Amino acid sequence: MGGDELGLVQEAFATNWIAPVGPHVDAFEREFAACVGSPHAVALSSGTAALHLALRMSGVGPGDEVFCSDLTFSASANPIVYEGAKPVFIDSDRATWNMDPARLAEGLADAAKRGRLPKAVVLVHLYGQSADIDPVVELCTRYGVTLIEDAAEALGASYKGIVPGTRGRIGIYSFNGNKIITTSGGGMLVTADQALAEKARFLSTQARDPAPHYQHSQIGFNYRLSNVLAGIGRGQLRVLEQRVQQRRANCAFYQQAFADLPGIEFMPEAPFGRSTRWLTCVVIDPAKFGCDREAMRLALQDENIEARPVWKPMSQQPVFAGCRRYGGEVAADLFARGLCLPSGSNLTEADLQRVAAAVRRCHRPAATSGRTHAEAAV
Ligand SMILES: *Cc1c(COP(=O)(O)O)cnc(C)c1O
């Protein structure tokens, strides 16, 4: 937490606005919209809820297909299934780790040929880095397909002077406990379309018709953000830039610490903007580094340091077995060789040094044979 959150929460208590409505909700929406440069923002209970409403308001329904980034967290794809539609996964490119516009072009051309265009494209901005948005917007416009941006991991990032999440018809953000700023749980939906923003507020508060009694002509959801949590969000927004600097400093530390080591590469920062480095991710080449990703993860675990593999692609998830995909082996390779290092905003210099030393101990010079996962387990 920053410095202001507790005072803002106390204000919610003092004024008795303990409900999913109130002055903090309105102010958080205004302040967030200004922060990302979007005309409208709608505060919701989670990023997943925001994505679900985005898909529903885009008319996604049973039998439809929705294209989605392959390398992502399952919450990007689950709401497609909530609506009875089928996800189709698009591989990453090496420059951004995000959706490869060339693969999207291939998928849309194929879909047009089959006479079955997707209802929407869910473009994910991973690990604090924007995808290459322009070619994706161009393709979606050309084929008349709705673009939804999942910027849950990319608040604070930039793309050619704009904020990822603000180019599509709808963008979503998350304030889960693990994200760069948090309300413990929460999300935001942004759009330039005022009618859409109003519809999202309506659907997220049980779709109650304007009548004195309780009347409903549509199925609604209980997806609004609490006024108490919106108070936390307002305080967090004030320290967003500081959090970005802390995350970027973590990455810079690791980059310097491993500069002389072969076979360890960082997630590239694309030239079109700023990555927040929400997580510092590396890719290990076992032949050059002398140990593979999993051996490194286990060696860190032995020292009570938690590191996690890069997202397992959705196309490899049992729950999405049988879903179509377009692409090669980029996402699969990033999963096989990628590791997310400890990246919290509150890591101390001593913490970072301890992690860096543990990673360095995994390195084996080229002459000796590489330590594999199996050997490390012994
Ligand atoms: C965290 C996350 C979500 C979901 O957000 P919640 O607020 O946890 O529901 C969606 N997409 C991605 C890529 C995420 O990392």
Side-chain angles (χ1 to χ4, degrees):
M1 291 292 105
D4 295 344
E5 291 86 349
L6 197 54
L8 290 157
V9 167
Q10 273 162 349
E11 200 178 305
F13 274 67
T15 54
N16 208 26
W17 283 103
I18 315 295
V21 58
H24 280 332
V25 174
D26 300 338
F28 189 31
E29 289 182 344
R30 274 195 312 274
E31 288 160 9
F32 190 90
C35 168
V36 300
S38 176
H40 308 283
V42 182
L44 298 168
S45 54
S46 71
T48 310
L51 199 50
H52 187 194
L53 291 184
L55 291 161
R56 165 143 306 204
M57 294 192 299
S58 301
V60 172
D64 287 332
E65 286 189 343
V66 173
F67 285 10
C68 179
S69 304
D70 192 11
L71 188 71
T72 186
F73 178 48
S74 63
S76 302
N78 285 341
I80 298 169
V81 180
Y82 300 167
E83 287 302 300
K86 270 217 160 261
V88 175
F89 298 112
I90 312 289
D91 202 0
S92 300
D93 64 31
R94 296 234 173 237
T96 68
W97 291 21
N98 288 310
M99 186 183 285
D100 183 343
R103 297 304 189 178
L104 177 63
E106 191 184 309
L108 287 171
D110 186 52
K113 208 164 60 191
R114 298 150 60 104
R116 196 168 173 226
L117 283 170
K119 234 353 183 320
V121 170
V122 175
L123 174 66
V124 184
H125 305 287
L126 223 50
Y127 293 131
Q129 168 145 280
S130 178
D132 192 1
I133 302 171
D134 280 348
V136 173
V137 168
E138 198 273 315
L139 283 163
C140 287
T141 308
R142 195 195 310 162
Y143 285 93
V145 175
T146 299
L147 176 61
I148 297 169
E149 289 181 79
D150 176 353
E153 299 181 7
L155 183 60
S158 71
Y159 175 81
K160 299 182 184 174
I162 65 152
V163 173
T166 59
R167 278 295 292 286
R169 183 165 185 249
I170 298 171
I172 73 99
Y173 301 86
S174 165
F175 313 117
N176 202 313
N178 60 343
K179 299 302 200 283
I180 195 155
I181 62 168
T182 180
T183 59
S184 75
M188 196 69 82
L189 180 152
V190 302
T191 178
D193 182 336
Q194 185 174 352
L196 265 184
E198 278 163 15
K199 183 149 189 211
R201 287 192 192 99
F202 168 76
L203 289 175
S204 68
T205 50
Q206 306 285 25
R208 191 178 163 195
D209 290 340
H213 49 275
Y214 282 88
Q215 176 169 303
H216 306 271
S217 27
Q218 286 182 60
I219 294 295
F221 300 89
N222 181 9
Y223 278 173
R224 203 71 164 121
L225 184 69
S226 156
N227 189 65
V228 179
L229 302 185
I232 301 178
R234 294 183 70 193
Q236 284 277 282
L237 214 46
R238 295 173 195 171
V239 295
L240 171 61
E241 186 54 32
Q242 196 184 322
R243 295 289 176 267
V244 173
Q245 294 308 329
Q246 286 161 323
R247 300 273 173 161
R248 287 184 60 85
N250 289 339
C251 184
F253 181 96
Y254 288 130
Q255 282 175 322
Q256 206 176 359
F258 309 144
D260 58 321
L261 297 183
I264 180 166
E265 275 175 34
F266 287 78
M267 179 182 183
E269 183 172 27
F272 50 58
R274 179 179 78 163
S275 166
T276 66
R277 300 291 192 179
W278 172 57
L279 298 188
T280 292
C281 304
V282 294
V283 171
I284 306 299
D285 179 343
K288 291 186 188 146
F289 192 80
C291 114
D292 66 15
R293 188 286 309 279
E294 194 53 11
M296 181 183 288
R297 190 185 71 76
L298 291 168
L300 292 172
Q301 184 176 277
D302 281 348
E303 303 196 33
N304 203 23
I305 296 168
E306 187 188 25
R308 292 188 195 167
V310 162
W311 296 126
K312 181 173 187 177
M314 293 302 105
S315 59
Q316 292 183 29
Q317 299 288 350
V319 75
F320 295 122
C323 289
R324 297 195 302 116
R325 71 183 281 270
Y326 293 97
E329 300 308 317
V330 178
D333 178 58
L334 293 172
F335 167 59
R337 298 194 297 118
L339 191 66
C340 307
L341 295 175
S343 302
S345 308
N346 55 356
L347 288 173
T348 64
E349 173 112 10
D351 292 331
L352 289 164
Q353 265 158 2
R354 193 161 81 82
V355 177
V359 169
R360 290 191 69 91
R361 276 194 290 278
C362 297
H363 170 58
R364 297 283 175 279
T368 59
S369 75
R371 187 159 74 135
T372 66
H373 169 197
E375 286 161 8
V378 177

